[in-house]
Amino acid sequence: MTESAETPDGREPRRRMNYGEGREALLNAAVRVVAQGGLRKLTYRAVAQEAGTTHGLVVHHFGSRDALIEEALAHAIRTSLNTSALEPGTGKVADFSVGVSDMVTADPDIQAFQYELLLESRRRPELLPHLRALYDEYFDASGRELARMLPDGAGRPLTRLVFAALDGLVLHQLVFGEPETTDAAIEELRTLLRLLVAAGHGTPGDDV
């Protein structure tokens, strides 16, 4: 397919998606639709328009609206995990959650999408099992990295506390902006983690 014609309001036209680009482009389009209009705006037609493709192609790839929601949520969480340094794998406190503010700045829609679904699950309980299972990926990644950092490991309450702090900071930046506040708060969180390392008789150095 070729570039679409210029829009009446003079905005840069959205590039039309080729058939072979497939699922990821459609998932990104679904994320943007929900982030901008809420779950009630998520239809095959809205996703097709956002992606610059046909209604039939969305149906072909997903088959049902529920499948589209579930796969878009999984895609959003995978993307966030890959860009947030939640689990750098080094066991160094200094590396934990580096770049969170940049992640929010670069792609706010993918964060907004997740919060939209969390709120929607209060009205639609059938979403909750999918959200719980997929958010467990966040909790597990946080727990594994905390276990690498802390001599005595990290239990479920500490893991939830640390992740909740990060999740709240992402939400606040999404609403209020101020990425520098996010960075400063995460550095304070790292300071607290260093104290836990020291209390566990670790040997934190300059690279901890």
Side-chain angles (χ1 to χ4, degrees), residues 154-206:
R156 183 180 177 89
L158 177 59
T159 297
R160 287 294 184 97
L161 176 62
V162 170
F163 180 75
L166 295 171
D167 201 30
L169 289 170
V170 169
L171 177 59
H172 288 179
Q173 184 178 333
L174 195 63
V175 175
F176 301 117
E178 301 176 350
E180 66 282 358
T181 300
T182 302
D183 291 336
I186 291 176
E187 187 53 45
E188 289 295 324
L189 177 60
R190 294 190 194 106
T191 297
L192 295 175
L193 290 173
R194 290 185 179 98
L195 292 174
L196 290 176
V197 171
H201 307 292
T203 55
D206 292 339

Side-chain angles (χ1 to χ4, degrees), residues 19-198:
Y19 184 93
E21 291 182 71
R23 301 175 75 85
E24 186 170 355
L26 293 174
L27 291 171
N28 286 331
V31 164
R32 291 193 296 272
V33 168
V34 174
Q36 294 163 17
L39 192 62
R40 67 188 181 281
K41 296 292 187 181
L42 184 68
T43 64
Y44 290 144
R45 203 167 300 282
V47 172
Q49 183 178 6
E50 180 67 28
T53 188
T54 64
H55 170 275
L57 186 60
V58 185
V59 176
H60 168 76
H61 275 291
F62 300 103
S64 74
R65 184 172 180 269
D66 285 345
L68 175 58
I69 292 169
E70 183 178 347
E71 292 197 41
L73 179 58
H75 169 69
I77 289 179
R78 283 194 306 271
T79 301
S80 293
L81 283 170
N82 289 338
T83 57
S84 67
L86 193 61
E87 189 182 8
T90 65
K92 295 179 180 178
V93 176
D95 295 337
F96 184 62
S97 293
V98 169
V100 166
S101 64
D102 292 338
M103 174 191 71
V104 180
T105 300
D107 195 354
D109 282 351
I110 210 158
Q111 307 306 321
F113 170 81
Q114 294 173 70
Y115 293 120
E116 286 284 349
L117 285 191
L118 283 169
L119 291 173
E120 186 65 25
S121 70
R122 299 184 70 246
R123 296 180 287 270
R124 294 184 53 187
E126 68 271 18
L127 291 174
L128 195 55
H130 300 306
L131 283 160
R132 190 180 298 279
L134 291 167
Y135 261 72
D136 279 344
E137 294 189 36
Y138 281 142
F139 302 144
D140 290 347
S142 302
R144 287 191 298 267
E145 195 60 27
L146 288 170
R148 294 184 184 102
M149 288 187 276
L150 303 175
D152 296 328
R156 183 180 177 89
L158 177 59
T159 297
R160 287 294 184 97
L161 176 62
V162 170
F163 180 75
L166 295 171
D167 201 30
L169 289 170
V170 169
L171 177 59
H172 288 179
Q173 184 178 333
L174 195 63
V175 175
F176 301 117
E178 301 176 350
E180 66 282 358
T181 300
T182 302
D183 291 336
I186 291 176
E187 187 53 45
E188 289 295 324
L189 177 60
R190 294 190 194 106
T191 297
L192 295 175
L193 290 173
R194 290 185 179 98
L195 292 174
L196 290 176
V197 171

